[in-house]
Amino acid sequence: MTIPDLETLRALGPAQQPAYDDPAAVDSAVARLRTMPPLVFAGECDDLKDKIAAVSRGEAFMLMGGDCAETFAGVTADNVRNKLRVLLQMAVVLTYAASVPVVKVGRIAGQYAKPRSSDFETRAGETLPAYRGDAVNGFEFTAESRVPDPQRLVDVYHSSAATLNLVRAFVTGGYADLRQVHTWNTDFVRESPIGQRYELVAAEIERALTFMQAIGADPDEFHRVDFHTCHEGLLLDYEHAMTRIDSRTQTPYDVSAHFVWIGERTRQLDGAHVELFRHIRNPIGVKLGPSTSPDDAIALAERLNPDNEPGRLTFITRFGAGKIRDGLPVVVEKVTASGVEVAWVCDPMHGNTFEASSGYKTRRFDDVIDEVQGFFDVHRSLGTWPGGVHVELTGDDVTECVGGGEDLLEMDLGNRYESVCDPRLNRVQSLELAFLVAEMLRARSD
Ligand code: PEP
Ligand code: CO
């Protein structure tokens, strides 16, 4: 497989690309990126593909999570550590409940570009170009900041590299030690009234760990974890510049992340995103919204994974709590009947967004949980495997989604609303979600 030229992709008129006013500056940013070393190795992408193949066989569960939109200013040690910590805590709970490995994939170290439903944003009578993520323009609502700046593509690389460096240090350097992560979970259970509801599961995990130590399980096995990165592969200039021929296999990989996905708004079968993605060898995902027909899904699978390679393709469904039970069954049923190999992952966030009366974009915790429950119900009735969840979250105590055990109200949203794009589950809501999904996983095997 070769890499299609960037010109060929541009000629396909890709959706959701920035309207740069200086094409020469874009070309020079792309040229600079082409000289930069890979952020991930092709062999690591293959490892993740093998793990996702286990997900599609029902032998593993996938946890994908992180910000809707990372920001350059958010590349701090605290921020990265808190996000990683909550993901690791969730993974331990899910691993115990699922009794299968949990494949951990952070929406991190590259999630800087956003598709938008409108090209413009109006505030107090003033209309400016929409914010498209730090990869494109500034969040600040001024004409100057909203101009797309190609230099930001190079900044994405550096911010991703700095983040990934810290993530790699954390996951291999002892921070992710299973006993340590379990201690954070028991702290959550002990210290908060919400956590107390999950005391039983935490106590069972404690006993399991003690048992493993008693029988002499290798402590090194507890000490490090596998962790991979993902983001939406939205900006073709960036993703193309980061696509390289792997020296081992002579095939193309997008070395900006282990896993990249095509969003709901850019998954046109004859579009530029599908064209680039069908050439790369990474494990990839496609977001599927409620308008997806079974034929759309099968056609995407045939185009993106013609050899039906296990682990290559993940469908991330985001139907919304109100639509999943009616809409998802026919898609899963027909895709399965067609023999297509795919891992099914539930994004319970993007179909459940609404605007609160205060103007903040938010989501109800109960809707998020209900969509995951609907996802489990649908897969249970079809005899297929609910392969994982894909959530927008942060390790901080933000107030962006309403509900949950802390019962955040719409009037609380302004207290600490920090997302520059979609509302994220905060630390406590994320842990609650993990314990609730754990209950769903256990109910499944009862
Ligand atoms: C996202 O994941 O932030 C996103 C924009 O999702 P979708 O493509 O499903 O709308
Ligand atoms: Co989002």
Side-chain angles (χ1 to χ4, degrees), residues 211-233:
F211 172 74
M212 279 157 67
Q213 271 167 311
I215 62 166
D218 180 0
D220 280 350
E221 288 290 312
F222 289 6
H223 205 58
R224 48 181 297 155
V225 293
D226 282 331
F227 191 89
H228 292 89
T229 61
C230 70
H231 63 255
E232 177 171 352

Side-chain angles (χ1 to χ4, degrees), residues 2-327:
T2 52
I3 307 173
D5 332 316
L6 186 51
E7 282 315 318
T8 308
L9 298 179
R10 286 175 177 163
L12 290 170
Q16 298 285 343
Q17 304 304 293
Y20 293 115
D21 48 21
D22 182 357
V26 180
D27 290 343
S28 105
V30 167
R32 178 84 189 101
L33 285 168
R34 292 201 196 286
T35 67
M36 307 304 269
L39 290 168
V40 301
F41 295 119
E44 296 173 330
C45 301
D46 292 346
D47 286 346
L48 179 59
K49 204 190 287 177
D50 290 344
K51 291 189 162 72
I52 299 176
V55 172
S56 57
R57 291 193 304 270
E59 293 166 10
F61 189 78
M62 181 139 68
L63 171 64
M64 309 183 101
D67 294 306
C68 178
E70 292 181 275
T71 61
F72 298 153
V75 183
T76 65
D78 282 354
N79 208 339
V80 173
R81 186 194 51 231
N82 291 349
K83 231 174 325 191
L84 197 64
R85 178 162 59 195
V86 79
L87 282 166
L88 295 171
Q89 285 182 256
M90 293 169 79
V92 168
V93 174
L94 293 170
T95 308
Y96 178 73
S99 300
V100 291
V102 170
V103 184
K104 296 167 275 295
V105 189
R107 259 180 90 114
I108 199 168
Q111 178 55 27
Y112 292 102
K114 299 310 302 171
R116 301 318 303 250
S117 45
S118 166
D119 286 344
F120 296 98
E121 181 184 347
T122 301
R123 285 192 206 172
E126 192 183 1
T127 298
L128 293 176
Y131 171 66
R132 292 185 168 274
D134 275 13
V136 176
N137 55 3
F139 181 63
E140 200 193 341
F141 194 73
T142 62
E144 197 189 1
S145 133
R146 290 293 170 94
V147 176
D149 176 0
Q151 174 58 34
R152 286 176 171 269
L153 296 171
V154 179
D155 299 341
V156 168
Y157 176 88
H158 291 296
S159 297
S160 301
T163 305
L164 193 55
N165 185 51
L166 194 57
V167 168
R168 289 189 191 276
F170 278 139
V171 299
T172 56
Y175 184 75
D177 189 285
L178 182 55
R179 286 153 301 195
Q180 168 72 67
V181 176
H182 175 63
T183 305
W184 295 326
N185 277 341
T186 44
D187 288 348
F188 165 69
V189 165
R190 277 198 205 110
E191 285 165 12
S192 74
I194 302 152
Q196 280 165 17
R197 293 185 209 156
Y198 309 108
E199 210 166 344
L200 209 64
V201 183
E204 285 176 25
I205 298 175
E206 175 83 40
R207 275 199 297 279
L209 283 176
T210 311
F211 172 74
M212 279 157 67
Q213 271 167 311
I215 62 166
D218 180 0
D220 280 350
E221 288 290 312
F222 289 6
H223 205 58
R224 48 181 297 155
V225 293
D226 282 331
F227 191 89
H228 292 89
T229 61
C230 70
H231 63 255
E232 177 171 352
L234 182 71
L235 298 181
L236 292 168
D237 294 320
Y238 182 78
E239 303 303 337
H240 190 274
M242 294 305 293
T243 298
R244 313 285 168 75
I245 299 293
D246 168 35
S247 59
R248 303 164 316 157
T249 59
Q250 299 304 314
T251 55
Y253 282 76
D254 180 347
V255 291
S256 70
H258 300 112
F259 178 106
V260 278
W261 77 84
I262 305 179
E264 163 75 358
R265 296 175 181 82
T266 50
R267 61 174 171 77
Q268 301 78 14
L269 200 57
D270 52 359
H273 293 81
V274 167
E275 182 58 13
L276 176 62
F277 273 56
R278 78 187 181 90
H279 287 88
I280 60 175
R281 303 307 315 143
N282 306 55
I284 58 172
V286 183
K287 292 278 204 98
L288 300 180
S291 65
T292 311
S293 72
D295 288 347
D296 292 341
I298 292 167
L300 280 164
E302 282 172 353
R303 189 138 180 91
L304 290 166
N305 190 20
D307 298 333
N308 214 13
E309 184 189 0
R312 155 82 174 154
L313 183 63
T314 300
F315 279 148
I316 308 168
T317 60
R318 28 89 88 221
F319 277 53
K323 295 194 173 148
I324 186 164
R325 289 177 177 82
D326 288 339

Side-chain angles (χ1 to χ4, degrees), residues 338-388:
S338 75
V340 159
E341 283 276 355
V342 70
W344 295 100
V345 167
C346 174
D347 165 358
M349 313 300 292
H350 289 88
N352 296 312
T353 318
F354 68 97
E355 194 174 304
S357 49
S358 50
Y360 286 106
K361 235 203 236 187
T362 190
R363 290 160 176 156
R364 286 187 197 89
F365 183 76
D366 285 351
D367 291 343
V368 170
I369 298 302
D370 189 38
E371 178 155 0
V372 183
Q373 184 65 62
F375 175 78
F376 271 77
D377 293 347
V378 168
H379 283 284
R380 184 171 201 154
S381 69
L382 295 172
T384 46
W385 173 241

